[in-house]
Coordinates of all heavy atoms in Angstrom, one line a residue:
F21 N -45.5 16.6 -50.5 CA -46.4 15.5 -50.9 C -45.7 14.2 -50.9 O -46.2 13.2 -50.3 CB -46.9 15.8 -52.3 CG -47.7 14.7 -52.9 CD1 -49.0 14.5 -52.6 CD2 -47.1 13.7 -53.7 CE1 -49.7 13.5 -53.1 CE2 -47.8 12.6 -54.3 CZ -49.2 12.5 -53.9
L22 N -44.5 14.1 -51.5 CA -43.8 12.8 -51.5 C -43.4 12.4 -50.2 O -43.6 11.2 -49.8 CB -42.6 12.9 -52.5 CG -42.8 13.2 -53.9 CD1 -41.6 13.5 -54.7 CD2 -43.6 12.0 -54.5
L23 N -42.8 13.2 -49.3 CA -42.4 12.9 -48.0 C -43.6 12.5 -47.1 O -43.5 11.5 -46.3 CB -41.5 13.9 -47.4 CG -40.1 14.0 -47.9 CD1 -39.4 15.2 -47.4 CD2 -39.3 12.8 -47.6
S24 N -44.6 13.2 -47.2 CA -45.8 12.9 -46.4 C -46.5 11.6 -46.8 O -46.9 10.8 -45.9 CB -46.9 14.0 -46.5 OG -46.3 15.3 -46.0
S25 N -46.5 11.4 -48.1 CA -47.1 10.1 -48.5 C -46.2 9.0 -48.0 O -46.8 8.0 -47.5 CB -47.2 10.1 -50.1 OG -48.0 11.1 -50.5
A26 N -45.0 9.1 -48.1 CA -44.1 8.0 -47.6 C -44.1 7.9 -46.1 O -44.0 6.9 -45.6 CB -42.6 8.4 -48.1
G27 N -44.3 9.1 -45.4 CA -44.4 9.1 -44.0 C -45.6 8.3 -43.5 O -45.4 7.6 -42.4
V28 N -46.7 8.4 -44.1 CA -47.8 7.5 -43.7 C -47.4 6.0 -43.8 O -47.8 5.3 -42.9 CB -49.1 7.9 -44.6 CG1 -50.2 6.9 -44.3 CG2 -49.5 9.3 -44.4
K29 N -46.8 5.6 -44.9 CA -46.5 4.2 -45.0 C -45.4 3.9 -44.0 O -45.4 2.8 -43.4 CB -46.0 4.0 -46.5 CG -45.7 2.5 -46.7 CD -46.9 1.7 -46.6 CE -46.7 0.3 -47.0 NZ -47.9 -0.6 -46.9
I30 N -44.4 4.7 -43.9 CA -43.4 4.4 -42.8 C -43.9 4.3 -41.4 O -43.5 3.4 -40.7 CB -42.3 5.5 -42.9 CG1 -41.5 5.4 -44.2 CG2 -41.4 5.5 -41.7 CD1 -40.6 6.6 -44.5
G31 N -44.9 5.2 -41.1 CA -45.5 5.1 -39.8 C -46.2 3.9 -39.6 O -46.2 3.3 -38.5
S32 N -46.9 3.3 -40.6 CA -47.7 2.1 -40.5 C -46.7 0.9 -40.3 O -47.0 -0.1 -39.7 CB -48.6 1.9 -41.6 OG -47.9 1.5 -42.8
V33 N -45.5 1.0 -40.9 CA -44.5 -0.1 -40.8 C -43.6 0.0 -39.7 O -43.4 -1.0 -38.9 CB -43.7 -0.2 -42.2 CG1 -42.7 -1.2 -42.1 CG2 -44.7 -0.4 -43.4
F34 N -43.0 1.1 -39.4 CA -42.0 1.3 -38.4 C -42.4 2.0 -37.1 O -41.6 2.0 -36.2 CB -40.8 2.0 -39.0 CG -40.1 1.3 -40.1 CD1 -40.3 1.7 -41.4 CD2 -39.4 0.1 -39.9 CE1 -39.7 1.0 -42.5 CE2 -38.8 -0.5 -40.9 CZ -38.9 -0.1 -42.2
G35 N -43.5 2.6 -37.2 CA -43.9 3.3 -36.0 C -43.3 4.7 -35.8 O -42.8 5.3 -36.7
L36 N -43.0 5.1 -34.5 CA -42.5 6.4 -34.2 C -41.0 6.5 -34.3 O -40.5 7.5 -33.9 CB -43.0 6.8 -32.8 CG -44.5 7.1 -32.7 CD1 -44.8 7.3 -31.2 CD2 -44.9 8.2 -33.5
R37 N -40.3 5.5 -34.7 CA -38.9 5.5 -34.6 C -38.2 6.6 -35.3 O -37.2 7.1 -34.9 CB -38.4 4.2 -35.3 CG -37.1 3.7 -34.8 CD -36.7 2.3 -35.4 NE -37.9 1.5 -35.3 CZ -38.0 0.2 -35.8 NH1 -37.0 -0.3 -36.4 NH2 -39.1 -0.4 -35.6
F38 N -38.8 7.1 -36.4 CA -38.2 8.2 -37.2 C -38.8 9.6 -37.0 O -38.2 10.6 -37.5 CB -38.3 7.9 -38.7 CG -37.6 6.6 -39.1 CD1 -38.4 5.5 -39.6 CD2 -36.3 6.5 -39.1 CE1 -37.8 4.3 -39.9 CE2 -35.7 5.3 -39.4 CZ -36.4 4.2 -39.8
K39 N -39.8 9.7 -36.2 CA -40.5 10.9 -36.1 C -39.6 12.0 -35.5 O -39.4 13.1 -36.1 CB -41.7 10.8 -35.2 CG -42.5 12.1 -35.0 CD -43.8 11.8 -34.1 CE -44.6 13.0 -33.9 NZ -44.0 14.0 -33.1
R40 N -39.0 11.8 -34.4 CA -38.2 12.8 -33.7 C -37.0 13.1 -34.5 O -36.5 14.3 -34.7 CB -37.8 12.4 -32.3 CG -38.9 12.5 -31.3 CD -38.4 12.5 -29.9 NE -39.6 12.8 -29.1 CZ -40.0 12.0 -28.1 NH1 -39.3 10.8 -27.9 NH2 -41.1 12.3 -27.4
K41 N -36.3 12.1 -35.1 CA -35.1 12.3 -35.9 C -35.5 13.2 -37.1 O -34.7 14.0 -37.5 CB -34.6 11.0 -36.4 CG -33.9 10.2 -35.2 CD -33.5 8.8 -35.7 CE -32.9 8.1 -34.5 NZ -32.8 6.7 -34.8
A42 N -36.6 13.0 -37.7 CA -37.0 13.8 -38.9 C -37.2 15.3 -38.5 O -36.8 16.2 -39.2 CB -38.3 13.3 -39.5
E43 N -37.8 15.5 -37.3 CA -38.1 16.9 -36.9 C -36.7 17.6 -36.5 O -36.5 18.7 -36.9 CB -39.0 16.9 -35.7 CG -40.5 16.6 -36.1 CD -41.4 16.6 -34.9 OE1 -40.9 16.2 -33.8 OE2 -42.5 16.9 -35.1
I44 N -35.8 16.9 -35.9 CA -34.5 17.4 -35.6 C -33.7 17.7 -36.8 O -33.1 18.8 -36.9 CB -33.7 16.5 -34.6 CG1 -34.4 16.5 -33.2 CG2 -32.3 16.9 -34.5 CD1 -33.9 15.4 -32.3
T45 N -33.8 16.8 -37.8 CA -33.0 17.0 -39.0 C -33.6 18.2 -39.8 O -32.8 19.1 -40.3 CB -33.2 15.7 -39.9 OG1 -32.6 14.6 -39.2 CG2 -32.5 15.9 -41.3
G46 N -34.9 18.4 -39.8 CA -35.5 19.5 -40.5 C -35.1 20.8 -39.8 O -34.8 21.8 -40.5
G47 N -35.0 20.8 -38.5 CA -34.7 22.0 -37.7 C -33.2 22.4 -38.0 O -32.9 23.6 -38.2
V48 N -32.3 21.4 -38.0 CA -30.9 21.7 -38.2 C -30.7 22.2 -39.7 O -29.9 23.2 -39.9 CB -30.1 20.4 -38.0 CG1 -28.6 20.6 -38.5 CG2 -30.0 20.0 -36.6
I49 N -31.4 21.6 -40.7 CA -31.3 22.1 -42.1 C -31.7 23.6 -42.1 O -31.0 24.4 -42.8 CB -32.1 21.3 -43.0 CG1 -31.5 19.8 -43.1 CG2 -32.3 21.9 -44.4 CD1 -32.4 18.8 -43.9
L50 N -32.8 24.0 -41.5 CA -33.3 25.3 -41.6 C -32.3 26.3 -41.0 O -32.0 27.4 -41.5 CB -34.7 25.5 -41.0 CG -35.8 24.8 -41.8 CD1 -37.1 24.9 -41.1 CD2 -35.9 25.3 -43.2
I51 N -31.8 25.9 -39.8 CA -30.8 26.8 -39.1 C -29.6 27.0 -40.0 O -29.0 28.1 -40.1 CB -30.4 26.2 -37.8 CG1 -31.6 26.3 -36.8 CG2 -29.2 26.9 -37.1 CD1 -31.4 25.5 -35.5
L52 N -29.1 25.9 -40.6 CA -27.9 26.0 -41.4 C -28.1 26.8 -42.7 O -27.3 27.6 -43.1 CB -27.4 24.5 -41.8 CG -26.8 23.7 -40.6 CD1 -26.4 22.4 -41.1 CD2 -25.6 24.4 -40.1
M53 N -29.3 26.7 -43.2 CA -29.6 27.5 -44.4 C -29.7 29.0 -44.0 O -29.2 29.8 -44.8 CB -31.0 27.1 -45.0 CG -30.8 25.8 -45.8 SD -29.6 25.7 -47.0 CE -30.1 26.9 -48.1
G54 N -30.3 29.3 -42.9 CA -30.3 30.7 -42.4 C -28.9 31.2 -42.2 O -28.5 32.4 -42.6

């Protein structure tokens, strides 16, 4: 909830700059936890 809410605002301000980095970071975190 918190990250998605912030993501909407970030998207309106910064655009797509963080989208791919966020998805890659999430993927790496899940692999490392596994």
Side-chain angles (χ1 to χ4, degrees):
F21 171 84
L22 294 172
L23 285 171
S24 298
S25 297
V28 171
K29 185 63 174 177
I30 289 167
S32 73
V33 175
F34 297 108
L36 294 174
R37 204 172 320 174
F38 299 113
K39 181 179 183 287
R40 285 198 175 122
K41 290 177 184 162
E43 289 178 326
I44 290 170
T45 300
V48 169
I49 288 171
L50 292 177
I51 291 169
L52 291 175
M53 289 305 299

